[in-house]
Amino acid sequence: MTASDSILLDGIATRSVTTPRLRANILERTGDDPATPADRTIVFVHGNVSSALFWQETMQGLPADVRPIAVDLRGFGDSEALPIDATRGVRDFSDDLASVLTALDLPAVHLVGWSMGGGVIMQYALDHPVLSLTLQAPVSPYGFGGTRRDGSRLTADDAGCGGGGANPDFVQRLRDGDTSAEAQTSPRSVFRSGYVSADYSSPLEDIWVASMLTTSTAEGNYPGDGTASDNWPGFAAGNHGVLNTMTPKHFDVSGIVDLDTKPPVLWVHGSVDAIVSDASFFDLNHLGALGVIPGWPGEEAAPAQQMVSQTRDVLGAYAAAGGDVIEESWEGVGHAPHLERPEEFRAALLRRIGYGA
C-alpha cells in the first residue's frame, strides 16, 4: 500500500524527490510557496511503523505563511525500501534526510521528530545546522532498551534489544496488510493500545492504519535481524534493519549536549505513553518484571529502561550547557500528542520556532 492508495487530506499533496542516496517521498501543502524563508519552513520526520501521512492534520492547521514538509524515511510510505545498515545507528535515515533537504535547497530548517524520528533529528543535529528541534515522544538519547539511567549498557551484546524482539505475528500482519482489529497483534489494535491513549478516537483512523501498513518488511528493513545470546531473554541485537538502529551499541545521540551551536529544543510527551516511558510495555525488561516474559533475572541484571528520565537528564545537561529547552508533559496523552491534542501541539511548535515573535 502506498500514500497514493490512501486518502490524502484536503490541501495535502505527495511528491517524489530523487537524490544521490534514494528516491524519497514527501508531503506538502498545495499552494505553499517554495521560496518561504527557512525560518518559516518546518520539516516533519515520522516514527517507526508509520509514515509522513501521520503529519497531515498538523500540516493542515499551520498558518499559510509557514511551509510544512513531511518526509517518508526509507522503507516507509512511498520512499524507496533500501536496506538499513544498523551499525550506523540511525545515520542511514538522517543522511537520507540531509540529501532530501539538499535537493530541496533547504540548508537549515526547523525539524520535528516523532518517536524514532526524534532520534533521527537529534542525529541530524549532530551532523548539520538546525534552526530548532521539536522532539515528540522521542526515543531516549541512549536508544531503546538495554541501558541503565546513565546510559551504560546492561550487557555487551544488548540482550533483549533489536530486531529479535519484534512480535512475528505483528510483522506478518504488516506483510499481509491486515486492517482488522480482531487480534491484539493487528496494526489497528497496536495503534489503539500503543500509539494513543484509551480516550482517543478519530474518523481518520483508517489513514493512520494505512500509514502503518506502508512499513517495508523486506530483508534489511523492519524489523531487522537478531542473534542468539547467553543472556536473558536469549537473543541480542543484530546489525541490520530498523529496530537495530536504536540499540545501545549502535545508537547514542547524547552528544547533542556538546554541540557548539545548540538549536532551541521543544520536548513534548504524554503521561500515558505505552511505548516511550520509564515503564514501557515495549521494553522486554519491564515485561519480564511484570511476569509477562518468564525467567527475568531481576532488577540488578535487567532493570527497565528509564527512557523519559534519560531524556530529561540529557536535555537538562543540554540546558545547563547553554541550550534553550522547553518541556511539555501532557497528562492523559499517549505516544502521539499531535493526534490527541492537535491545536495545542501546533501552538507549542509555533512558539518554539518564534512564529509571530
Side-chain angles (χ1 to χ4, degrees):
M1 183 175 293
T2 66
S4 57
D5 296 321
S6 307
I7 297 173
L8 293 174
L9 300 184
D10 289 345
I12 304 294
T14 182
R15 173 159 70 102
S16 182
V17 177
T18 300
T19 83
R21 290 184 56 82
L22 83 167
R23 178 189 51 75
N25 183 69
I26 66 173
L27 298 186
E28 301 172 294
R29 290 190 308 192
T30 57
D32 278 353
D33 185 357
T36 300
D39 65 355
R40 292 291 179 268
T41 301
I42 307 173
V43 175
F44 295 87
V45 181
H46 63 83
N48 191 16
V49 192
S50 63
S51 75
L53 291 172
F54 267 97
W55 293 115
Q56 292 185 88
E57 282 185 303
T58 304
M59 295 169 68
Q60 276 186 318
L62 288 169
D65 57 346
V66 170
R67 183 189 182 194
I69 301 168
V71 180
D72 282 332
L73 299 175
R74 66 166 65 190
F76 299 95
D78 279 354
S79 286
E80 237 180 316
L82 299 176
I84 298 160
D85 179 2
T87 66
R88 305 186 69 235
V90 295
R91 290 180 183 88
D92 274 358
F93 294 135
S94 61
D95 288 351
D96 290 348
L97 177 62
S99 73
V100 171
L101 297 187
T102 297
L104 296 175
D105 196 23
L106 295 170
V109 294
H110 300 285
L111 292 178
V112 180
W114 174 29
S115 195
M116 181 181 75
V120 172
I121 68 170
M122 283 188 276
Q123 181 62 58
Y124 185 97
L126 288 171
D127 300 327
H128 306 280
V130 174
L131 297 184
S132 73
L133 295 173
T134 293
L135 307 172
Q136 178 185 245
V139 62
S140 162
Y142 299 116
F144 198 95
T147 57
R148 297 179 178 84
R149 180 159 174 173
D150 64 1
S152 59
R153 292 163 63 193
L154 299 178
T155 64
D157 60 358
D158 292 344
C161 302
N167 184 298
D169 192 58
F170 174 65
V171 176
Q172 187 60 50
R173 289 174 185 275
L174 285 175
R175 192 173 289 128
D176 294 342
D178 180 11
T179 62
S180 75
E182 295 174 358
Q184 289 185 333
T185 51
S186 75
R188 189 179 300 272
S189 295
V190 170
F191 170 79
R192 292 175 178 175
S193 64
Y195 286 36
V196 291
S197 71
D199 295 332
Y200 175 84
S201 64
S202 170
L204 301 177
E205 184 180 84
D206 285 349
I207 297 178
W208 311 149
V209 174
S211 174
M212 296 172 71
L213 291 173
T214 67
T215 302
S216 171
T217 56
E219 185 174 356
N221 292 115
Y222 183 84
D225 64 332
T227 62
S229 174
D230 292 333
N231 299 304
W232 184 89
F235 73 89
N239 293 322
H240 306 284
V242 175
L243 294 185
N244 293 308
T245 66
M246 295 174 282
T247 55
K249 71 175 180 177
H250 299 318
F251 178 90
D252 184 343
V253 294
S254 62
I256 61 170
V257 169
D258 301 317
L259 285 173
D260 291 332
T261 301
K262 293 179 170 62
V265 173
L266 169 64
W267 173 31
V268 180
H269 58 105
S271 67
V272 295
D273 189 333
I275 297 176
V276 175
S277 77
D278 283 2
S280 169
F281 290 100
F282 290 72
D283 178 359
L284 297 195
N285 287 353
H286 178 57
L287 295 179
L290 294 176
V292 176
I293 301 176
W296 181 61
E299 183 70 24
E300 179 61 30
Q305 183 187 11
Q306 298 179 65
M307 303 176 188
V308 171
S309 295
Q310 288 177 332
T311 297
R312 186 171 288 117
D313 290 347
V314 170
L315 293 182
Y318 186 90
D324 178 5
V325 177
I326 295 172
E327 177 184 352
E328 299 256 357
S329 179
W330 294 349
E331 197 66 31
V333 171
H335 191 57
H338 73 298
L339 297 184
E340 297 196 49
R341 296 190 186 175
E343 293 182 7
E344 193 172 346
F345 181 78
R346 280 192 295 267
L349 171 59
L350 290 170
R351 286 194 299 271
R352 179 72 290 185
I353 72 168
Y355 182 81

